[in-house]
């Protein structure tokens, strides 16, 4: 995925990946002698024979299962309580927000991996969230200039190779004005 950074450590007993930022898609071959663990901040995803997409943003992460089963575990839990954990199966996701985790059921996992086809699929997401998603694939910062638009939701399939076309289409379909403050900053009002 774009603007992603990770580090990898393989040895005889384990395959460990640290997702520092961005997102990645993991397809893990079953090898009980060398389990895979993907670590993101305060959570770990041990995986054996599964496929999942993980996206990280600051202290938050979303793990979307496309095949098999994934368990997301809290790392470094205090000794006064057991570590928190959630399990997700294909077409489910686990959202991690700070120290909180919850499982989303009956989602379309294909949306989470649409970036592999050069697409961003939005289903009734707040307009204020869409620029953040687009900025992962472009060097253009997108500002939404009217807080009254906070309740406006957006749905659509957006081609990632031309973010400016996406912004123009949003402006036309939502009857907004698209202006450029400079060559790398756009505003929807």
């Amino acid at each position: 995925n774009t603007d992603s950074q990770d580090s990898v450590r393989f040895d005889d007993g384990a395959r460990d990946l640290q997702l520092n930022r961005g997102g990645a898609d993991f397809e893990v071959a079953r090898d009980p002698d060398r389990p895979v663990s993907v670590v993101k901040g305060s959570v770990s995803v041990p995986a054996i024979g599964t496929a999942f997409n993980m996206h990280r943003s600051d202290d938050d992460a979303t793990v979307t299962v496309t095949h098999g089963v994934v368990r997301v575990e809290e790392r470094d839990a205090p000794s006064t309580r057991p570590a928190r954990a959630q399990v997700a199966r294909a077409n489910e996701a686990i959202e991690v927000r700070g120290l909180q985790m919850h499982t989303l059921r009956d989602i379309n996992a294909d949306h989470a991996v649409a970036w592999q086809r050069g697409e961003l699929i939005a289903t009734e997401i707040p307009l204020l969230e869409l620029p953040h998603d687009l900025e992962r694939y472009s060097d253009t910062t997108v500002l939404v200039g009217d807080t009254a638009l906070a309740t406006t939701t957006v749905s659509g399939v957006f081609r990632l190779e031309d973010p400016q076309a996406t912004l123009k289409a949003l402006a036309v379909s939502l009857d907004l004005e698209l202006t450029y403050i400079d060559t790398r900053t756009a505003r929807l009002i």
Side-chain angles (χ1 to χ4, degrees), residues 120-127 130 152-158 170 173-174:
L120 171 64
I121 300 176
T123 305
E124 295 185 10
I125 67 168
L127 177 60
L130 188 62
T152 301
T153 58
V154 178
S155 297
V157 178
F158 304 103
L170 280 171
S173 65
L174 297 173

Side-chain angles (χ1 to χ4, degrees), residues 7-18 34-37:
S7 56
V8 179
R9 184 181 61 85
F10 284 12
D11 62 30
D12 291 339
R15 299 172 286 173
D16 296 326
L17 296 101
Q18 173 78 40
R34 287 183 21 171
V36 169
S37 182

Side-chain angles (χ1 to χ4, degrees), residues 112-156:
V113 295
W115 59 269
Q116 295 173 340
R117 298 184 308 274
E119 298 175 336
L120 171 64
I121 300 176
T123 305
E124 295 185 10
I125 67 168
L127 177 60
L128 294 177
E129 286 181 25
L130 188 62
H132 176 71
D133 290 340
L134 289 173
E135 288 169 1
R136 292 177 16 217
Y137 305 97
S138 170
D139 60 356
T140 301
T141 299
V142 182
L143 307 172
V144 178
D146 185 352
T147 55
L149 296 171
T151 59
T152 301
T153 58
V154 178
S155 297

